[in-house]
PDB file of all heavy atoms in Angstrom:
ATOM      1  N   ASP V  82     -12.609  -3.765   3.571  1.00 98.00           N
ATOM      2  CA  ASP V  82     -12.322  -3.959   4.969  1.00 98.00           C
ATOM      3  C   ASP V  82     -10.972  -4.628   5.190  1.00 98.00           C
ATOM      4  O   ASP V  82     -10.220  -4.265   6.106  1.00 98.00           O
ATOM      5  CB  ASP V  82     -13.410  -4.789   5.649  1.00 98.00           C
ATOM      6  CG  ASP V  82     -14.699  -4.011   5.866  1.00 98.00           C
ATOM      7  OD1 ASP V  82     -14.681  -2.764   5.783  1.00 98.00           O
ATOM      8  OD2 ASP V  82     -15.754  -4.656   6.130  1.00 98.00           O
ATOM      9  N   GLU V  83     -10.652  -5.611   4.343  1.00 98.00           N
ATOM     10  CA  GLU V  83      -9.367  -6.282   4.423  1.00 98.00           C
ATOM     11  C   GLU V  83      -8.228  -5.292   4.206  1.00 98.00           C
ATOM     12  O   GLU V  83      -7.217  -5.289   4.936  1.00 98.00           O
ATOM     13  CB  GLU V  83      -9.310  -7.409   3.389  1.00 98.00           C
ATOM     14  CG  GLU V  83      -7.988  -8.142   3.319  1.00 98.00           C
ATOM     15  CD  GLU V  83      -7.969  -9.188   2.193  1.00 98.00           C
ATOM     16  OE1 GLU V  83      -9.012  -9.422   1.538  1.00 98.00           O
ATOM     17  OE2 GLU V  83      -6.908  -9.756   1.985  1.00 98.00           O
ATOM     18  N   LEU V  84      -8.351  -4.435   3.211  1.00 98.00           N
ATOM     19  CA  LEU V  84      -7.308  -3.492   2.895  1.00 98.00           C
ATOM     20  C   LEU V  84      -7.152  -2.434   3.970  1.00 98.00           C
ATOM     21  O   LEU V  84      -6.008  -2.035   4.302  1.00 98.00           O
ATOM     22  CB  LEU V  84      -7.550  -2.856   1.524  1.00 98.00           C
ATOM     23  CG  LEU V  84      -7.371  -3.876   0.378  1.00 98.00           C
ATOM     24  CD1 LEU V  84      -8.039  -3.384  -0.876  1.00 98.00           C
ATOM     25  CD2 LEU V  84      -5.877  -4.136   0.169  1.00 98.00           C
ATOM     26  N   ARG V  85      -8.243  -2.027   4.553  1.00 98.00           N
ATOM     27  CA  ARG V  85      -8.138  -1.098   5.716  1.00 98.00           C
ATOM     28  C   ARG V  85      -7.425  -1.794   6.881  1.00 98.00           C
ATOM     29  O   ARG V  85      -6.616  -1.176   7.565  1.00 98.00           O
ATOM     30  CB  ARG V  85      -9.516  -0.619   6.129  1.00 98.00           C
ATOM     31  CG  ARG V  85     -10.107   0.396   5.185  1.00 98.00           C
ATOM     32  CD  ARG V  85     -11.416   0.971   5.759  1.00 98.00           C
ATOM     33  NE  ARG V  85     -11.979   1.940   4.861  1.00 98.00           N
ATOM     34  CZ  ARG V  85     -12.983   1.704   4.033  1.00 98.00           C
ATOM     35  NH1 ARG V  85     -13.576   0.508   3.996  1.00 98.00           N
ATOM     36  NH2 ARG V  85     -13.438   2.650   3.219  1.00 98.00           N
ATOM     37  N   ALA V  86      -7.758  -3.047   7.134  1.00 98.00           N
ATOM     38  CA  ALA V  86      -7.125  -3.797   8.199  1.00 98.00           C
ATOM     39  C   ALA V  86      -5.631  -3.980   7.963  1.00 98.00           C
ATOM     40  O   ALA V  86      -4.821  -3.903   8.889  1.00 98.00           O
ATOM     41  CB  ALA V  86      -7.829  -5.145   8.401  1.00 98.00           C
ATOM     42  N   VAL V  87      -5.267  -4.248   6.706  1.00 98.00           N
ATOM     43  CA  VAL V  87      -3.834  -4.398   6.373  1.00 98.00           C
ATOM     44  C   VAL V  87      -3.095  -3.091   6.612  1.00 98.00           C
ATOM     45  O   VAL V  87      -2.000  -3.087   7.177  1.00 98.00           O
ATOM     46  CB  VAL V  87      -3.656  -4.888   4.918  1.00 98.00           C
ATOM     47  CG1 VAL V  87      -2.230  -4.755   4.440  1.00 98.00           C
ATOM     48  CG2 VAL V  87      -4.133  -6.321   4.792  1.00 98.00           C
ATOM     49  N   ARG V  88      -3.698  -1.975   6.194  1.00 98.00           N
ATOM     50  CA  ARG V  88      -3.063  -0.683   6.420  1.00 98.00           C
ATOM     51  C   ARG V  88      -2.865  -0.455   7.930  1.00 98.00           C
ATOM     52  O   ARG V  88      -1.797  -0.045   8.372  1.00 98.00           O
ATOM     53  CB  ARG V  88      -3.887   0.462   5.860  1.00 98.00           C
ATOM     54  CG  ARG V  88      -3.226   1.797   6.068  1.00 98.00           C
ATOM     55  CD  ARG V  88      -4.169   2.990   5.770  1.00 98.00           C
ATOM     56  NE  ARG V  88      -3.541   4.220   6.042  1.00 98.00           N
ATOM     57  CZ  ARG V  88      -3.439   4.768   7.241  1.00 98.00           C
ATOM     58  NH1 ARG V  88      -3.918   4.157   8.316  1.00 98.00           N
ATOM     59  NH2 ARG V  88      -2.837   5.939   7.415  1.00 98.00           N
ATOM     60  N   GLU V  89      -3.901  -0.746   8.721  1.00 98.00           N
ATOM     61  CA  GLU V  89      -3.832  -0.571  10.166  1.00 98.00           C
ATOM     62  C   GLU V  89      -2.765  -1.473  10.763  1.00 98.00           C
ATOM     63  O   GLU V  89      -1.989  -1.067  11.642  1.00 98.00           O
ATOM     64  CB  GLU V  89      -5.204  -0.838  10.794  1.00 98.00           C
ATOM     65  CG  GLU V  89      -5.252  -0.634  12.265  1.00 98.00           C
ATOM     66  CD  GLU V  89      -5.121   0.831  12.702  1.00 98.00           C
ATOM     67  OE1 GLU V  89      -5.296   1.754  11.854  1.00 98.00           O
ATOM     68  OE2 GLU V  89      -4.812   1.064  13.880  1.00 98.00           O
ATOM     69  N   ALA V  90      -2.695  -2.719  10.330  1.00 98.00           N
ATOM     70  CA  ALA V  90      -1.693  -3.673  10.838  1.00 98.00           C
ATOM     71  C   ALA V  90      -0.285  -3.211  10.490  1.00 98.00           C
ATOM     72  O   ALA V  90       0.628  -3.312  11.330  1.00 98.00           O
ATOM     73  CB  ALA V  90      -1.947  -5.080  10.278  1.00 98.00           C
ATOM     74  N   MET V  91      -0.091  -2.690   9.276  1.00 98.00           N
ATOM     75  CA  MET V  91       1.222  -2.170   8.914  1.00 98.00           C
ATOM     76  C   MET V  91       1.602  -0.998   9.784  1.00 98.00           C
ATOM     77  O   MET V  91       2.752  -0.872  10.240  1.00 98.00           O
ATOM     78  CB  MET V  91       1.238  -1.767   7.428  1.00 98.00           C
ATOM     79  CG  MET V  91       1.335  -2.941   6.484  1.00 98.00           C
ATOM     80  SD  MET V  91       2.864  -3.895   6.659  1.00 98.00           S
ATOM     81  CE  MET V  91       4.092  -2.683   6.172  1.00 98.00           C
ATOM     82  N   TRP V  92       0.657  -0.088  10.002  1.00 97.00           N
ATOM     83  CA  TRP V  92       0.899   1.074  10.848  1.00 97.00           C
ATOM     84  C   TRP V  92       1.329   0.632  12.247  1.00 97.00           C
ATOM     85  O   TRP V  92       2.329   1.105  12.800  1.00 97.00           O
ATOM     86  CB  TRP V  92      -0.348   1.954  10.911  1.00 97.00           C
ATOM     87  CG  TRP V  92      -0.204   3.161  11.747  1.00 97.00           C
ATOM     88  CD1 TRP V  92      -0.657   3.359  13.010  1.00 97.00           C
ATOM     89  CD2 TRP V  92       0.489   4.365  11.399  1.00 97.00           C
ATOM     90  NE1 TRP V  92      -0.314   4.591  13.450  1.00 97.00           N
ATOM     91  CE2 TRP V  92       0.384   5.237  12.479  1.00 97.00           C
ATOM     92  CE3 TRP V  92       1.160   4.772  10.242  1.00 97.00           C
ATOM     93  CZ2 TRP V  92       0.961   6.505  12.468  1.00 97.00           C
ATOM     94  CZ3 TRP V  92       1.719   6.044  10.233  1.00 97.00           C
ATOM     95  CH2 TRP V  92       1.615   6.900  11.347  1.00 97.00           C
ATOM     96  N   PRO V 102       1.004  -8.103   9.300  1.00 96.00           N
ATOM     97  CA  PRO V 102      -0.254  -8.652   8.812  1.00 96.00           C
ATOM     98  C   PRO V 102      -0.159 -10.158   8.582  1.00 96.00           C
ATOM     99  O   PRO V 102       0.936 -10.683   8.314  1.00 96.00           O
ATOM    100  CB  PRO V 102      -0.489  -7.905   7.494  1.00 96.00           C
ATOM    101  CG  PRO V 102       0.281  -6.643   7.665  1.00 96.00           C
ATOM    102  CD  PRO V 102       1.489  -7.017   8.464  1.00 96.00           C
ATOM    103  N   TRP V 106      -1.512 -11.678   3.453  1.00 97.00           N
ATOM    104  CA  TRP V 106      -0.581 -10.553   3.531  1.00 97.00           C
ATOM    105  C   TRP V 106       0.642 -10.847   4.388  1.00 97.00           C
ATOM    106  O   TRP V 106       1.428  -9.953   4.691  1.00 97.00           O
ATOM    107  CB  TRP V 106      -1.300  -9.335   4.059  1.00 97.00           C
ATOM    108  CG  TRP V 106      -2.444  -8.943   3.180  1.00 97.00           C
ATOM    109  CD1 TRP V 106      -3.749  -9.363   3.249  1.00 97.00           C
ATOM    110  CD2 TRP V 106      -2.393  -8.066   2.059  1.00 97.00           C
ATOM    111  NE1 TRP V 106      -4.489  -8.807   2.258  1.00 97.00           N
ATOM    112  CE2 TRP V 106      -3.690  -7.993   1.508  1.00 97.00           C
ATOM    113  CE3 TRP V 106      -1.370  -7.301   1.474  1.00 97.00           C
ATOM    114  CZ2 TRP V 106      -3.995  -7.223   0.402  1.00 97.00           C
ATOM    115  CZ3 TRP V 106      -1.674  -6.524   0.366  1.00 97.00           C
ATOM    116  CH2 TRP V 106      -2.976  -6.480  -0.151  1.00 97.00           C
ATOM    117  N   LEU V 109       4.277  -9.470   4.060  1.00 97.00           N
ATOM    118  CA  LEU V 109       4.633  -8.097   4.461  1.00 97.00           C
ATOM    119  C   LEU V 109       5.580  -8.094   5.651  1.00 97.00           C
ATOM    120  O   LEU V 109       6.205  -7.085   5.970  1.00 97.00           O
ATOM    121  CB  LEU V 109       3.385  -7.268   4.785  1.00 97.00           C
ATOM    122  CG  LEU V 109       2.554  -6.888   3.567  1.00 97.00           C
ATOM    123  CD1 LEU V 109       1.210  -6.348   3.990  1.00 97.00           C
ATOM    124  CD2 LEU V 109       3.295  -5.842   2.731  1.00 97.00           C
ATOM    125  N   PHE V 129      -0.248   1.771   0.953  1.00 98.00           N
ATOM    126  CA  PHE V 129      -1.398   1.468   1.818  1.00 98.00           C
ATOM    127  C   PHE V 129      -2.312   2.677   1.984  1.00 98.00           C
ATOM    128  O   PHE V 129      -3.519   2.581   1.909  1.00 98.00           O
ATOM    129  CB  PHE V 129      -0.921   0.945   3.179  1.00 98.00           C
ATOM    130  CG  PHE V 129      -0.024  -0.246   3.052  1.00 98.00           C
ATOM    131  CD1 PHE V 129       1.353  -0.097   3.124  1.00 98.00           C
ATOM    132  CD2 PHE V 129      -0.533  -1.516   2.831  1.00 98.00           C
ATOM    133  CE1 PHE V 129       2.185  -1.184   2.999  1.00 98.00           C
ATOM    134  CE2 PHE V 129       0.291  -2.596   2.699  1.00 98.00           C
ATOM    135  CZ  PHE V 129       1.676  -2.445   2.769  1.00 98.00           C
TER     136      PHE V 129
END
Side-chain angles (χ1 to χ4, degrees):
D82 287 344
E83 176 184 354
L84 291 161
R85 286 187 180 102
V87 166
R88 181 193 178 278
E89 183 68 17
M91 284 297 296
W92 180 258
W106 300 89
L109 288 167
F129 303 100

